[in-house]
């Protein structure tokens, strides 16, 4: 778990994904410690990121969602991750950025990787829908330009 957290902090997604794979195996073998819910949320964030970045549906996300236990689904960290997934999936950018500001644990490091992609999609859709009648300050505030959940 510590190795995975360091990989998250260093934005080393290859290493993080390898750690996640081993952690899933360990959790199945040894049982589910408290951190199991935290890392389930990280897996959701990772899948959201890869799905959004590569702009393709992910069968792994469907398998991940199907593998969540009721205990995991009831935890606050997983509920939050599922809300982030729903916001990104439904192109609800305002909700995404509200959730970004309240992300628990180290999830902000994974969401930081996603922010630019979400902002880009939001700007494209917003300008398509409101062009040119939306004040730039509204876009700036909605997409948290100049702000970060880490600060």
């Amino acid at each position: 778990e510590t190795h995975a957290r360091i990989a998250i902090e260093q934005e080393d997604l290859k290493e993080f994904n390898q750690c996640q794979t081993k952690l899933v195996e360990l959790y199945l073998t040894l049982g589910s410690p408290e951190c199991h819910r935290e890392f389930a949320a990280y897996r959701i964030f990772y899948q959201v990121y890869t799905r959004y970045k590569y702009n393709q549906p992910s069968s792994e996300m469907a398998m991940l969602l199907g593998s969540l236990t009721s205990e995991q689904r009831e935890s606050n960290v997983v509920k939050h991750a599922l809300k982030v997934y729903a916001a990104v999936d439904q192109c609800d950018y305002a909700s995404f950025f509200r959730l970004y500001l309240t992300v628990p644990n180290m999830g902000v490091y994974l969401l930081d990787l996603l922010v630019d992609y979400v902002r880009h999609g939001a700007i494209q859709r917003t300008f398509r829908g409101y062009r040119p009648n939306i004040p730039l300050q509204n876009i700036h505030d909605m997409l948290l330009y100049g702000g970060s959940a880490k600060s």
Side-chain angles (χ1 to χ4, degrees), residues 24-81:
V24 169
E25 292 174 16
L26 286 172
Y27 292 152
L28 289 173
T29 306
L30 303 174
S32 297
E34 180 66 29
C35 297
H36 184 55
R37 292 182 287 274
E38 174 187 353
F39 280 91
Y42 296 158
R43 280 196 311 277
I44 293 168
F45 291 148
Y46 176 79
Q47 288 301 320
V48 169
Y49 169 74
T50 57
R51 180 179 181 190
Y52 203 89
K53 180 180 179 181
Y54 300 111
N55 197 23
Q56 58 190 12
S58 170
S59 60
E60 287 189 36
M61 178 59 98
M63 291 186 327
L64 171 59
L65 295 176
S67 72
L68 293 175
T69 65
S70 58
E71 176 192 354
Q72 288 172 320
R73 287 181 182 274
E74 293 300 315
S75 72
N76 289 334
V77 292
V78 173
K79 281 182 182 178
H80 185 276

